[in-house]
Amino acid sequence: MSATARTGTIKMTRPPGLGVVGSGPLLHLDVLGVEEDGRWSAIALDMSIADHGETFDEALESLRDALKAQFEFAFSKEGGAQLRSNLFTPAEGRYFRMYRDARRKEMLDAIAALHALLVEEAGESRLLAPPEDSGVRRLERRFQCPLAAAER
């Protein structure tokens, strides 16, 4: 049985009233979502912390809660410096590869959707026009995927 994979992010921001308010998130974590047997797991790749849910969004929200609890404990008196120094524990390499493959697929799907919109709007493909070094050719080389093959 093959697993479905998705990518996501969790952005942790400074709570209101705590110090100077910055312009962006304090922490940005890449998340791999994996669906197997109708249940989703969300894995924070840089921390090797995971949680589960019926949907990817539920798993992501559960993971956010688990991360908050982990941070709160790590910075409590009981958590101590040792736990804080161990917060960054990357997941196994296979999860990073799954993330890369899922991200690549999401990007190619988005590019294909953009192409379809451009064709619908203009009545022709602007992305598939010559010359040989067009944007599509560069994307094909970058992602090693013939985006325009079906159109030729």
Side-chain angles (χ1 to χ4, degrees):
M1 172 181 295
S2 121
T4 301
R6 287 183 58 173
T7 66
T9 58
I10 289 182
K11 296 179 182 179
M12 307 291 258
T13 57
R14 184 176 289 125
L18 183 65
V20 178
V21 176
S23 61
L26 292 174
L27 184 62
H28 173 103
L29 297 170
D30 291 323
V31 175
L32 170 67
V34 180
E35 185 268 333
E36 290 183 298
D37 300 326
R39 188 130 172 96
W40 282 89
S41 297
I43 305 161
L45 295 174
D46 290 326
M47 298 184 67
S48 194
I49 295 175
D51 218 315
H52 311 280
E54 295 298 318
T55 67
F56 178 64
D57 290 335
E58 286 178 15
L60 202 57
E61 192 57 38
S62 294
L63 177 61
R64 181 185 308 278
D65 293 340
L67 288 165
K68 286 179 186 176
Q70 181 75 10
F71 290 135
E72 287 172 4
F73 181 71
F75 289 96
S76 70
K77 187 175 182 180
E78 296 82 20
Q82 181 64 34
L83 183 56
R84 285 192 295 276
S85 68
N86 290 327
L87 281 175
F88 179 72
T89 306
E92 296 176 23
R94 68 185 174 118
Y95 295 115
F96 281 93
R97 288 187 294 278
M98 288 174 71
Y99 178 89
R100 179 202 61 213
D101 293 345
R103 184 72 179 128
R104 179 176 182 264
K105 181 185 179 313
E106 290 168 358
M107 292 292 293
L108 291 173
D109 289 348
I111 290 166
L114 173 62
H115 174 256
L117 286 173
L118 289 172
V119 169
E120 182 180 313
E121 179 183 296
E124 62 184 54
S125 173
R126 295 180 198 163
L127 291 177
L128 298 179
E132 184 57 30
D133 199 36
S134 68
V136 168
R137 301 294 174 258
R138 287 191 301 274
L139 287 170
E140 286 176 341
R141 286 193 302 274
R142 168 74 173 91
F143 293 108
Q144 301 170 353
C145 177
L147 298 172
E151 304 271 341
R152 292 184 192 133

